[in-house]
Amino acid sequence: MPDTSPILTIDEGPPIEPPELDAPFLLSEPQIDAAPIVFASPHSGNHYPEEMVSALCVPLMDVRRTEDAFVDELFSNAPHHGGTLLAARFGRSVVDLNRDPHELDPAMFHDGPPRACALPTPRVEAGLGCLPRVGARGEAIYSRLLYKAEGERRLSGIHDVYHGQLSGLLDAQRTRHGRALLVDCHSMPSVQPGRRNLTDIVLGDRFGSSSDARLVNRLERVFRNHGLTVARNAPYAGGYTTRRYGRPKRGIHAIQIEINRGLYMDEQAITRAGGFSALRPIMDAVIVEMIAAIRELTER
C-alpha cells in the first residue's frame, strides 16, 4: 500500500526564485522520407532540477526507480526509418507527462495548488498525480510542502511545453497526410503486487477507442512473431496521452506500449541488462512495421 502519510509542514519562508528549467524534451526528426508517426517516450527522462532534489527526504535513486529508463534508447532508431521521436528529459517524479495537469493533490502545497484541481482520483489519493508525492516504494518523497510557484514552473515549463510540441507534431502530420499515429512508449515493473505472470508487452488502445484496430493488430503481430507474450488493455489501457490524442474519427490514432522491464534492465540498479541488446532489433522491427502500417492506412 502506498504511504499516504502527510508531508512534513516546514515553513522556511518564500523560496528563492530558481533559474529557468532546461528544455523539457529532445526532438529527433526523420532522417529520411517522413512518415506520419510520432514515437513518444514521456517517462524515460532522468534529469532532476536542484530545487526538487534539495526538497527530497529519500535518496534520489528511490525516485529514479519510477522512470521508464532506456525506453527512449529502445526506440532511438525511429528517425532512421522516417519516424519522429519525442523523448522527455525530466524524470516522471518531477512532473508526470501522462497525467492531466489538473490531477493534483492540494495537500502537497504550502500556499495552495498551482492550478484548479480536478476531482480526486485513486491515483491522486495514492500520491501519483501529475506532481507525484510518492516514490517507487510508495513512500513520501518530500521533506516539506511545495510552493505553488514550484508546481507551476513544472507544469508550465515541462508539461505544457511537452504537450504543446506533441500536439503540434500530430496536427501537422494529420494536415499533411490526412492521418497520424502516436505510439506512446512506456515500461512497466516486472513484479507488481497482486499480479502474477505479467506479460512481456501490454498494448493499450482504450479498449478500441483510440486507434484503428488494424494498427493495433499489426503491432501485436510483430511482437508475437518475435516470441514475446502480449496482452491488450490489461493492466494498462492507455493513460492521459492516449486518451487526449487518440481520435481515430478525426484522423489521429494513439496506441500505448508497455514493455516489461525484466526483459532489458536491472530494475534496482537502473542499468541495462543482457536482454537490452536482444530487444533493440525487435523494437526496430516494430518501428518499421508501424511506419508501413500508417502509410498504408493513409493511402486508402
Side-chain angles (χ1 to χ4, degrees):
M1 291 290 292
D3 179 358
T4 57
S5 58
I7 306 168
L8 293 177
T9 304
I10 303 175
D11 187 358
E12 302 170 333
I16 297 173
E17 190 70 18
E20 290 294 319
L21 293 170
D22 295 331
F25 58 78
L26 296 174
L27 176 64
S28 301
E29 299 183 295
Q31 297 180 8
I32 61 173
D33 186 29
I37 186 169
V38 176
F39 293 88
S41 181
H43 289 161
S44 56
N46 58 12
H47 184 60
Y48 295 84
E50 179 56 35
E51 177 183 56
M52 174 181 177
V53 174
S54 65
L56 294 175
C57 63
V58 297
L60 183 60
M61 180 63 82
D62 289 359
V63 175
R64 289 206 58 209
R65 291 192 181 104
T66 67
E67 299 168 4
D68 292 349
F70 314 119
V71 166
D72 54 341
E73 294 183 33
L74 290 173
F75 288 90
S76 62
N77 281 335
H80 298 289
H81 299 289
T84 299
L85 177 64
L86 182 68
R89 293 189 65 246
F90 288 91
R92 70 184 298 181
S93 290
V94 181
V95 58
D96 193 330
L97 298 173
N98 201 29
R99 293 281 188 269
D100 188 302
H102 298 284
E103 204 168 352
L104 302 170
D105 181 355
M108 289 180 62
F109 300 95
H110 174 76
D111 50 352
R115 298 187 182 180
C117 298
L119 291 175
T121 66
R123 290 186 296 269
V124 171
E125 292 175 350
L128 298 171
C130 191
L131 297 172
R133 179 171 52 79
V134 302
R137 295 184 296 179
E139 76 282 15
I141 62 175
Y142 291 111
S143 61
R144 61 171 175 82
L145 295 174
L146 303 183
Y147 285 88
K148 179 188 296 186
E150 291 178 270
E152 182 54 36
R153 272 190 292 275
R154 299 186 200 178
L155 293 173
S156 60
I158 303 174
H159 194 284
D160 292 355
V161 177
Y162 175 89
H163 281 283
Q165 180 67 55
L166 181 54
S167 179
L169 288 169
L170 293 170
D171 286 344
Q173 292 179 350
R174 176 180 57 182
T175 298
R176 180 178 178 185
H177 299 278
R179 289 185 177 87
L181 171 60
L182 167 63
V183 181
D184 205 39
C185 307
H186 298 259
S187 67
M188 55 188 176
S190 61
V191 178
Q192 300 183 21
R195 292 172 179 154
R196 300 178 62 185
N197 303 319
L198 194 66
T199 57
D200 296 324
I201 304 292
V202 178
L203 303 180
D205 65 352
R206 307 295 300 177
F207 301 97
S209 67
S210 70
S211 174
D212 187 303
R214 290 171 290 185
L215 296 173
V216 189
N217 291 342
R218 288 182 67 160
L219 182 55
E220 179 174 352
R221 190 179 307 123
V222 70
F223 279 123
R224 290 191 182 279
N225 286 345
H226 283 85
L228 299 180
T229 57
V230 183
R232 286 203 196 182
N233 296 307
Y236 306 104
Y240 168 74
T241 302
T242 311
R243 184 173 64 250
R244 171 174 172 174
Y245 297 104
R247 296 287 188 272
K249 292 182 179 178
R250 300 180 186 176
I252 297 181
H253 306 264
I255 307 170
Q256 179 177 282
I257 297 177
E258 294 276 359
I259 306 166
N260 191 317
R261 292 176 190 163
L263 292 174
Y264 72 93
M265 67 176 286
D266 181 321
E267 296 170 75
Q268 293 304 305
I270 316 180
T271 56
R272 300 169 195 79
F276 183 85
S277 59
L279 196 57
R280 283 289 299 271
I282 297 176
M283 295 307 157
D284 284 353
V286 166
I287 291 166
V288 171
E289 183 71 14
M290 297 319 294
I291 287 174
I294 191 60
R295 279 179 166 156
E296 291 172 17
L297 194 63
T298 60
E299 292 169 358
R300 291 191 176 117

